[in-house]
Amino acid sequence: MKPVHSFIVTSHLPKKIAKLKELAYNYWWCWNSEAKELFVRINRKLWEEANHNPVLLMNKLSQVELEKLSEQTDFTSFLDYIYDKFRNYMEAQTWYDTVNINGKGSIVYFSMEYGINESFPNYSGGLGVLSGDHLKSASDLGLPLIAVGLLYQQGYFRQRLTQSGWQNEQYIFNDFYSMPITLMRDKNDEPVIIDVDLPLAKAFAQVWKLQIGRVPLYLLDTNIEENSLDEYRDITDQLYGGTRETRIQQEIVLGIGGVRALKALNIEPTVYHINEGHAAFALLERTKGYMEKYKMDFHSAKQITKSSSVFTTHTPVPAGNEAFKVDRMEAYLQNYYKSLGLKKEEFYFLGQPSEFNPDESFSMTILGLRLTGYHNGVSKLHGIVSRNMWHQLWQCFPVDEVPIGNITNGIHTLTWVAREFAELYDRYLSPRWKTETDLEDIWSKIDIIPNEELWREKQRRRVRMILFARDYLIKRQKSFLTPEQVSKINEYLDPDALTIGFARRFATYKRATLLFSNMERLAEILKKFDRPVQIIIAGKAHPHDTQGKEVIQSIIYKVREYGLERHVVFLEDYDMVISRYMVKGCDIWLNTPIKPMEASGTSGMKAALNGTLNLSILDGWFDEAYNGTNGFAIGHGEEYANYDEQNIIEASSLYDLLEQVIVPMFYDRSSLGRVPDKWVTYMKSCIKSIAWNFSTTRMVKEYSTKYYLSAIKNYKTLTAENAKNAVLLNGWKNSIRDHWGEVEIIDVSTEEDNEFFVGKSIHVSARVHLGKLTPADVVAQVFYGTVNHEGELIDTNFKDLKLIKSEDHLHHYEGEYICNGTGNQGFTIRILPTHKLMVNSADMHLCAWAQ
C-alpha cells in the first residue's frame, strides 16, 4: 500500500542541545575522539545499533529522552566544549592560508567512491577510503576543496558466507533521510536537479551534500520520480554493480552530470582533480563550459582544461583501466561529441593510443591523460610502472621523461590511530603530532617512549580486537548457534598469541592463498604450544569475480580440513569498523601481491601507525618504505616471468621468515618485564619511519605544491581578458604541428679531443633547420648519459643549448655539459616545442632527435 502523501519527520532537539544537529551533520566528529565520545554518552547501545550514525541515533531517541538529555548539565557542558572546539577548528587559520600565493581559487575532486565512515556506506575499499582521507586532510589543511561523487541507494554489497564458505551478496537500502546528508535546494526551495542525455531519454539526478569538516561533498542520486525509466532510476543503485551499460551510465552521470551539478549550485572551480578514470568525462563537460562561456572552439577551450586539471591513475595493469567499446560510446556520446564540434576521429583520439581505430576500446585513463596537464601514479614504483604502461602516448620521449609523476598515497592519521596510541603520542611527542602530522622531527621522538608502555598498549589493542572478533562471529551466526558452539567460539584466538592480519579485496593477484599453500607447514607454525600464531582474515571478492570467491572458499575449506578454526578466523562483511580493529590490534600485517600489481595500498600504513609490523612483498608503497628494521620483506623485490615458480619461492620465503625470524623475535621475552625488546624496537622504527611520511597531510601538501597552486595560476593566466591566452596558445600549437615536419637537426659536432675524464666539460654544437618556426618556438638540448650494451643512452640528463646565430631557416646552437659518468658515455641533440603557457615540455607529444 503506497501513501497518497509523504513527508520527512526528524527529531526535534531542545534548545539546550540544538548544537548537536550541526555536529551530527559534519563528519568532523569521526576523526575527533572526544566528539565521538559525545555521541557515545547519549546512548552507547543505540550508537552501536545505528552503526555510528549520529543522525540515526538522534532519530531513535524519543522526545522525552531528548528532553531529559537537555537537562543533564554534565552532558550540556561537554556539548558546549565540543562545539567550541569544532567552531575553533572551522575558523582557525590553516596551512593553505600560509602557502596560497596565487590568490583565490578552488579545487574540485571527483571520485567514484568515498569512504568517510562506516555509517556512510558509499565505498568498496581502498580507493574510496583514500578519497575520504584526502578530503579529511584537505579540510585539516584548509584547502578550498569541493568533492563530487555518486550517492548509491544500496552502496557496495554486504557479504554473507554460506556454510560451505561461498560468498553471497546482499544489498541493503540506505535511508538517506536518516543519514548526515542534506538535499540541496534552489531559491524556490525545490531540489536541485540536473540532467544528462542518454540513449533512451534524459536521465535526471538530484544533488545531496555531505560535510567533511570544511569540505563539502556533493553526491548525485538518480533514484527520483523524474526518471520515468527504471533503468535510469537504478543508475546510482549499486557501487560497481550492474552491467557495462550501468557503468557507462554511472560515469556519464558522475562526470558530465557532476560538472552540471556544480554549475547548478553556482560553483565554478579553478582546478579539477580526477581521481582515477571513472570521472574523466568531467573534463569534456568542463571544456564544453569554456566553449560556451568564452565563445571559442573545443581545442582552444581544451587549453584551459588541460593546464588546470590533475589526473591520478591507480591501476598498474592495462586491463584494469576502464574502457568502453566504440559502438557503446557511439550510442551514448555521438550527439555529445558533435555538440563539441568534434569529428568522430578527433573525439576517439582523445581516448585511444593513436589514430582512430574502430576496433580499439575508448580508454577513460587515456582520456584523463590527454585532457590534463598534471598526471601521477600513487607510489614511486607505480610512477615507474605507469610511465612504462603509457609510454605509447609519448613515443618520441624516453620512458623516464613520460610526464607521469608520482605522489605516494597516505592515510588520515587521526582517523586510523588507536586511542591508546594517541594518548602515548600526546604524552611523549607533544600534541603537535595531531596538527603537524607530516613532520619527521616530531615522530623521531618515538624512541623515548618506554618499551613497556608501548608494548602494554599494543597488548590492550590485541585483546580488544580478539574480544571484538569473537563477539562479531557470534552475532553473525547467532540464529543457528547452540550454546556449546557459542562457548567454542569464545575459545577462538589467544589474546597473547602473535596475530597476523590479512584484510583486502580478494582479487587473485593479491594472492591470499600464498600463506595457505603449504598447510602442513602452516599448521605446525600455528599450533606450537609455547609459541602460538593465529590469523585473522577479512575481505570481499567482487560479485562478478568467481575466482576471487573461490579463493575465499578454498581458505575456509583448508582451515576446516586441518582443524585450525581456533587459530584462523574469517570476519565476513569487511568494513571500516573491522579494518580499524585489525590494523590497531594485529602484530603483523600481511601483504602478498604479485609485484608490480599493487599500485600503492594503504592498509599497511594504517597498521604501521599503530605499531603493527608489515610482512610484505616489496611492492606499492612498501617498496619505498622498507628500511630493514621497520617490518619484514618477502624476497628482495624480484619480478618473475613464471608465476608458479614465483609462488613456490615466495611462499617458502614467507614460511622461513615466520619460523626463523618473526616468531622467535616476538616470543623473545628476555627482559624482566616480559617485553620483547627487539620486537618493540622494530615497532618504534616502523612508527618513526612511516607515520609522518605516509600521511595524507604530506600527500595533500604534495598535491598542492606540485599541482594545485600551479594549476590555479595557469587557470588565471589562460582565462584572463576573455581567455585570450587560451586562443593564442591553441593557435601557436596548431602552427607548431603544421610545421613540425620541417624541423631537422642538420649536423652535430664536438671538440676533437681523445682525452675524456670524469668532470670534463664537453662542448657541443648543432645546426638546426626550423623551417617556418622560429627559435622562440623551440628549445635545443643536449641529451647525455651512459651508453648501454644495446647502444641506448641510460642514466640520462639534459641541458639547454644557447642560440649563437641564425641564417635564414638555419640556426646554430652551442653549449656544454659536465661528463659525470665513466665507461662508455655519449650524447645526442633534441629539439622540443616550448611556450611559457605549457605545463611541461612533453605537453605536445613532439620531440625531434638528431639522426
Side-chain angles (χ1 to χ4, degrees), residues 425 428-434 436-449 684 687-695 698 701:
Y425 299 157
Y428 290 99
L429 309 186
S430 92
R432 284 177 58 211
W433 71 271
K434 295 177 180 176
E436 299 173 89
T437 308
D438 59 324
L439 291 189
E440 184 178 7
D441 287 350
I442 292 175
W443 293 96
S444 66
K445 297 175 184 175
I446 206 84
D447 288 327
I448 68 175
I449 300 176
K684 288 181 176 180
I687 297 166
K688 181 167 59 176
S689 61
I690 292 172
W692 67 275
N693 198 27
F694 295 91
S695 69
R698 186 271 311 154
K701 282 183 177 180

Short mmCIF file of all heavy atoms in Angstrom, two decimals, residues 425 428-434 436-449 684 687-695 698 701:
data_model
loop_
_atom_site.label_atom_id
_atom_site.label_comp_id
_atom_site.label_asym_id
_atom_site.label_seq_id
_atom_site.Cartn_x
_atom_site.Cartn_y
_atom_site.Cartn_z
N TYR A 425 51.26 9.18 22.22
CA TYR A 425 51.87 10.20 21.38
C TYR A 425 51.70 11.59 21.99
O TYR A 425 52.61 12.43 21.94
CB TYR A 425 51.28 10.16 19.97
CG TYR A 425 51.49 8.85 19.23
CD1 TYR A 425 50.65 8.48 18.18
CD2 TYR A 425 52.52 7.99 19.57
CE1 TYR A 425 50.84 7.29 17.49
CE2 TYR A 425 52.72 6.78 18.90
CZ TYR A 425 51.86 6.44 17.86
OH TYR A 425 52.04 5.26 17.18
N TYR A 428 54.32 11.80 24.90
CA TYR A 428 55.75 11.76 24.61
C TYR A 428 56.18 12.58 23.38
O TYR A 428 57.33 13.01 23.31
CB TYR A 428 56.22 10.32 24.45
CG TYR A 428 56.22 9.55 25.75
CD1 TYR A 428 55.17 8.69 26.09
CD2 TYR A 428 57.26 9.71 26.67
CE1 TYR A 428 55.16 8.00 27.29
CE2 TYR A 428 57.26 9.02 27.88
CZ TYR A 428 56.21 8.18 28.19
OH TYR A 428 56.20 7.49 29.38
N LEU A 429 55.28 12.77 22.43
CA LEU A 429 55.65 13.52 21.22
C LEU A 429 55.18 14.97 21.27
O LEU A 429 55.58 15.77 20.45
CB LEU A 429 55.06 12.86 19.96
CG LEU A 429 55.28 11.36 19.76
CD1 LEU A 429 54.75 10.93 18.40
CD2 LEU A 429 56.75 11.01 19.87
N SER A 430 54.27 15.27 22.18
CA SER A 430 53.52 16.53 22.28
C SER A 430 52.35 16.49 21.32
O SER A 430 52.43 15.84 20.26
CB SER A 430 54.40 17.77 22.00
OG SER A 430 54.34 18.13 20.63
N PRO A 431 51.27 17.20 21.63
CA PRO A 431 50.07 17.16 20.78
C PRO A 431 50.27 17.69 19.37
O PRO A 431 49.37 17.59 18.54
CB PRO A 431 49.07 18.03 21.56
CG PRO A 431 49.53 17.96 22.98
CD PRO A 431 51.03 17.90 22.91
N ARG A 432 51.45 18.22 19.07
CA ARG A 432 51.70 18.72 17.71
C ARG A 432 51.59 17.62 16.66
O ARG A 432 51.36 17.92 15.48
CB ARG A 432 53.10 19.35 17.63
CG ARG A 432 53.22 20.72 18.27
CD ARG A 432 54.65 21.23 18.20
NE ARG A 432 55.12 21.29 16.84
CZ ARG A 432 56.41 21.12 16.48
NH1 ARG A 432 57.32 20.82 17.40
NH2 ARG A 432 56.77 21.22 15.22
N TRP A 433 51.75 16.35 17.06
CA TRP A 433 51.65 15.27 16.09
C TRP A 433 50.28 15.23 15.42
O TRP A 433 50.15 14.72 14.30
CB TRP A 433 51.96 13.92 16.74
CG TRP A 433 50.89 13.42 17.68
CD1 TRP A 433 50.79 13.68 19.01
CD2 TRP A 433 49.76 12.61 17.34
NE1 TRP A 433 49.68 13.08 19.54
CE2 TRP A 433 49.02 12.41 18.53
CE3 TRP A 433 49.30 12.02 16.17
CZ2 TRP A 433 47.87 11.66 18.57
CZ3 TRP A 433 48.14 11.27 16.19
CH2 TRP A 433 47.44 11.09 17.38
N LYS A 434 49.28 15.80 16.08
CA LYS A 434 47.92 15.79 15.52
C LYS A 434 47.75 16.82 14.41
O LYS A 434 46.97 16.62 13.48
CB LYS A 434 46.89 16.07 16.63
CG LYS A 434 46.81 15.00 17.69
CD LYS A 434 45.82 15.40 18.76
CE LYS A 434 45.71 14.34 19.85
NZ LYS A 434 44.83 14.77 20.96
N GLU A 436 50.57 18.64 12.96
CA GLU A 436 51.73 18.67 12.06
C GLU A 436 52.18 17.24 11.81
O GLU A 436 53.33 16.88 12.03
CB GLU A 436 52.83 19.53 12.67
CG GLU A 436 52.41 20.98 12.87
CD GLU A 436 53.45 21.79 13.62
OE1 GLU A 436 54.32 22.36 12.96
OE2 GLU A 436 53.38 21.83 14.86
N THR A 437 51.24 16.47 11.35
CA THR A 437 51.40 15.02 11.22
C THR A 437 52.59 14.62 10.36
O THR A 437 53.17 13.56 10.56
CB THR A 437 50.11 14.44 10.59
OG1 THR A 437 49.00 14.90 11.36
CG2 THR A 437 50.12 12.94 10.58
N ASP A 438 52.95 15.45 9.40
CA ASP A 438 53.96 15.08 8.42
C ASP A 438 55.37 15.55 8.78
O ASP A 438 56.27 15.47 7.95
CB ASP A 438 53.59 15.66 7.06
CG ASP A 438 53.48 17.17 7.08
OD1 ASP A 438 53.03 17.72 8.10
OD2 ASP A 438 53.84 17.81 6.08
N LEU A 439 55.58 16.01 10.01
CA LEU A 439 56.91 16.48 10.41
C LEU A 439 57.72 15.33 10.99
O LEU A 439 57.40 14.78 12.04
CB LEU A 439 56.80 17.61 11.43
CG LEU A 439 56.25 18.95 10.89
CD1 LEU A 439 56.40 20.03 11.95
CD2 LEU A 439 56.95 19.37 9.60
N GLU A 440 58.80 15.00 10.32
CA GLU A 440 59.64 13.87 10.74
C GLU A 440 60.21 14.08 12.13
O GLU A 440 60.32 13.13 12.92
CB GLU A 440 60.77 13.69 9.72
CG GLU A 440 61.66 12.50 10.00
CD GLU A 440 62.73 12.32 8.94
OE1 GLU A 440 62.88 13.21 8.07
OE2 GLU A 440 63.43 11.29 9.00
N ASP A 441 60.58 15.31 12.46
CA ASP A 441 61.21 15.58 13.76
C ASP A 441 60.31 15.19 14.93
O ASP A 441 60.79 14.72 15.96
CB ASP A 441 61.57 17.07 13.88
CG ASP A 441 62.76 17.44 13.02
OD1 ASP A 441 63.41 16.51 12.49
OD2 ASP A 441 63.03 18.63 12.84
N ILE A 442 59.01 15.40 14.76
CA ILE A 442 58.08 15.05 15.84
C ILE A 442 58.10 13.54 16.08
O ILE A 442 58.21 13.08 17.23
CB ILE A 442 56.66 15.53 15.49
CG1 ILE A 442 56.60 17.07 15.49
CG2 ILE A 442 55.63 14.95 16.46
CD1 ILE A 442 55.28 17.64 15.03
N TRP A 443 58.03 12.77 15.01
CA TRP A 443 57.94 11.31 15.14
C TRP A 443 59.28 10.69 15.53
O TRP A 443 59.31 9.55 16.03
CB TRP A 443 57.43 10.70 13.83
CG TRP A 443 56.02 11.09 13.57
CD1 TRP A 443 55.57 12.12 12.78
CD2 TRP A 443 54.84 10.50 14.14
NE1 TRP A 443 54.19 12.20 12.81
CE2 TRP A 443 53.72 11.21 13.63
CE3 TRP A 443 54.62 9.43 15.01
CZ2 TRP A 443 52.41 10.88 13.99
CZ3 TRP A 443 53.32 9.10 15.36
CH2 TRP A 443 52.23 9.83 14.85
N SER A 444 60.38 11.43 15.33
CA SER A 444 61.68 10.88 15.73
C SER A 444 61.79 10.70 17.24
O SER A 444 62.66 9.97 17.72
CB SER A 444 62.81 11.80 15.23
OG SER A 444 62.77 13.05 15.89
N LYS A 445 60.89 11.35 17.98
CA LYS A 445 60.91 11.24 19.44
C LYS A 445 60.27 9.95 19.94
O LYS A 445 60.19 9.73 21.16
CB LYS A 445 60.19 12.44 20.06
CG LYS A 445 60.86 13.78 19.76
CD LYS A 445 60.02 14.93 20.30
CE LYS A 445 60.62 16.28 19.92
NZ LYS A 445 59.75 17.41 20.35
N ILE A 446 59.83 9.10 19.03
CA ILE A 446 59.13 7.88 19.43
C ILE A 446 60.02 7.00 20.31
O ILE A 446 59.53 6.22 21.15
CB ILE A 446 58.66 7.10 18.18
CG1 ILE A 446 57.44 6.23 18.51
CG2 ILE A 446 59.75 6.26 17.56
CD1 ILE A 446 56.15 6.96 18.45
N ASP A 447 61.34 7.13 20.15
CA ASP A 447 62.27 6.27 20.90
C ASP A 447 62.22 6.53 22.40
O ASP A 447 62.64 5.67 23.18
CB ASP A 447 63.70 6.47 20.39
CG ASP A 447 63.90 5.86 19.01
OD1 ASP A 447 63.26 4.83 18.73
OD2 ASP A 447 64.67 6.42 18.22
N ILE A 448 61.73 7.70 22.81
CA ILE A 448 61.72 7.98 24.26
C ILE A 448 60.55 7.30 24.97
O ILE A 448 60.50 7.28 26.20
CB ILE A 448 61.72 9.50 24.54
CG1 ILE A 448 60.39 10.14 24.10
CG2 ILE A 448 62.90 10.18 23.89
CD1 ILE A 448 60.29 11.62 24.47
N ILE A 449 59.61 6.75 24.20
CA ILE A 449 58.52 6.00 24.85
C ILE A 449 59.10 4.72 25.44
O ILE A 449 59.74 3.94 24.73
CB ILE A 449 57.41 5.65 23.84
CG1 ILE A 449 56.80 6.92 23.24
CG2 ILE A 449 56.31 4.82 24.52
CD1 ILE A 449 55.75 6.64 22.16
N LYS A 684 58.96 0.64 17.02
CA LYS A 684 59.32 2.06 17.07
C LYS A 684 59.88 2.53 15.73
O LYS A 684 59.55 3.63 15.25
CB LYS A 684 60.34 2.30 18.19
CG LYS A 684 59.75 2.20 19.59
CD LYS A 684 60.80 2.46 20.65
CE LYS A 684 60.20 2.46 22.05
NZ LYS A 684 61.22 2.71 23.10
N ILE A 687 56.91 2.94 13.31
CA ILE A 687 56.14 4.17 13.53
C ILE A 687 56.96 5.39 13.12
O ILE A 687 56.46 6.29 12.42
CB ILE A 687 55.71 4.28 15.01
CG1 ILE A 687 54.80 3.12 15.39
CG2 ILE A 687 55.01 5.62 15.26
CD1 ILE A 687 54.59 2.96 16.90
N LYS A 688 58.20 5.42 13.53
CA LYS A 688 59.07 6.58 13.31
C LYS A 688 59.30 6.85 11.82
O LYS A 688 59.34 7.99 11.39
CB LYS A 688 60.41 6.35 14.03
CG LYS A 688 61.41 7.48 13.90
CD LYS A 688 62.57 7.31 14.88
CE LYS A 688 63.31 6.01 14.69
NZ LYS A 688 64.48 5.92 15.58
N SER A 689 59.43 5.80 11.03
CA SER A 689 59.76 5.97 9.62
C SER A 689 58.54 6.11 8.72
O SER A 689 58.64 6.64 7.61
CB SER A 689 60.62 4.79 9.13
OG SER A 689 59.91 3.58 9.27
N ILE A 690 57.39 5.63 9.19
CA ILE A 690 56.21 5.56 8.31
C ILE A 690 55.13 6.59 8.66
O ILE A 690 54.53 7.17 7.75
CB ILE A 690 55.63 4.12 8.34
CG1 ILE A 690 56.62 3.16 7.67
CG2 ILE A 690 54.26 4.06 7.67
CD1 ILE A 690 56.27 1.70 7.80
N ALA A 691 54.90 6.84 9.94
CA ALA A 691 53.76 7.67 10.35
C ALA A 691 53.75 9.03 9.67
O ALA A 691 52.71 9.49 9.19
CB ALA A 691 53.73 7.82 11.87
N TRP A 692 54.88 9.71 9.64
CA TRP A 692 54.91 11.07 9.09
C TRP A 692 54.91 11.07 7.56
O TRP A 692 54.25 11.91 6.92
CB TRP A 692 56.16 11.82 9.59
CG TRP A 692 57.46 11.26 9.07
CD1 TRP A 692 58.16 10.22 9.59
CD2 TRP A 692 58.18 11.71 7.93
NE1 TRP A 692 59.29 9.98 8.84
CE2 TRP A 692 59.33 10.88 7.81
CE3 TRP A 692 57.97 12.71 6.98
CZ2 TRP A 692 60.27 11.03 6.80
CZ3 TRP A 692 58.90 12.87 5.97
CH2 TRP A 692 60.04 12.04 5.87
N ASN A 693 55.64 10.11 6.98
CA ASN A 693 55.88 10.16 5.53
C ASN A 693 54.72 9.57 4.73
O ASN A 693 54.60 9.85 3.54
CB ASN A 693 57.17 9.39 5.21
CG ASN A 693 57.70 9.74 3.84
OD1 ASN A 693 57.47 10.83 3.33
ND2 ASN A 693 58.43 8.82 3.24
N PHE A 694 53.88 8.78 5.37
CA PHE A 694 52.77 8.16 4.65
C PHE A 694 51.43 8.63 5.22
O PHE A 694 50.50 7.85 5.42
CB PHE A 694 52.92 6.64 4.67
CG PHE A 694 54.15 6.19 3.92
CD1 PHE A 694 55.35 6.03 4.58
CD2 PHE A 694 54.10 6.01 2.56
CE1 PHE A 694 56.50 5.65 3.89
CE2 PHE A 694 55.23 5.63 1.85
CZ PHE A 694 56.44 5.46 2.52
N SER A 695 51.36 9.93 5.47
CA SER A 695 50.12 10.54 5.93
C SER A 695 49.50 11.33 4.78
O SER A 695 50.21 11.79 3.88
CB SER A 695 50.39 11.50 7.09
OG SER A 695 51.10 12.64 6.63
N ARG A 698 50.96 14.89 4.38
CA ARG A 698 52.07 15.02 3.42
C ARG A 698 51.56 14.92 1.99
O ARG A 698 51.95 15.69 1.12
CB ARG A 698 53.11 13.93 3.72
CG ARG A 698 54.39 13.99 2.89
CD ARG A 698 54.30 13.21 1.58
NE ARG A 698 53.79 11.87 1.81
CZ ARG A 698 53.15 11.18 0.87
NH1 ARG A 698 52.91 11.68 -0.33
NH2 ARG A 698 52.69 9.97 1.14
N LYS A 701 49.56 18.03 0.85
CA LYS A 701 50.51 19.14 0.66
C LYS A 701 51.27 18.98 -0.65
O LYS A 701 51.51 19.96 -1.37
CB LYS A 701 51.51 19.18 1.83
CG LYS A 701 50.96 19.80 3.11
CD LYS A 701 52.04 19.88 4.18
CE LYS A 701 51.54 20.55 5.45
NZ LYS A 701 52.59 20.62 6.49
#
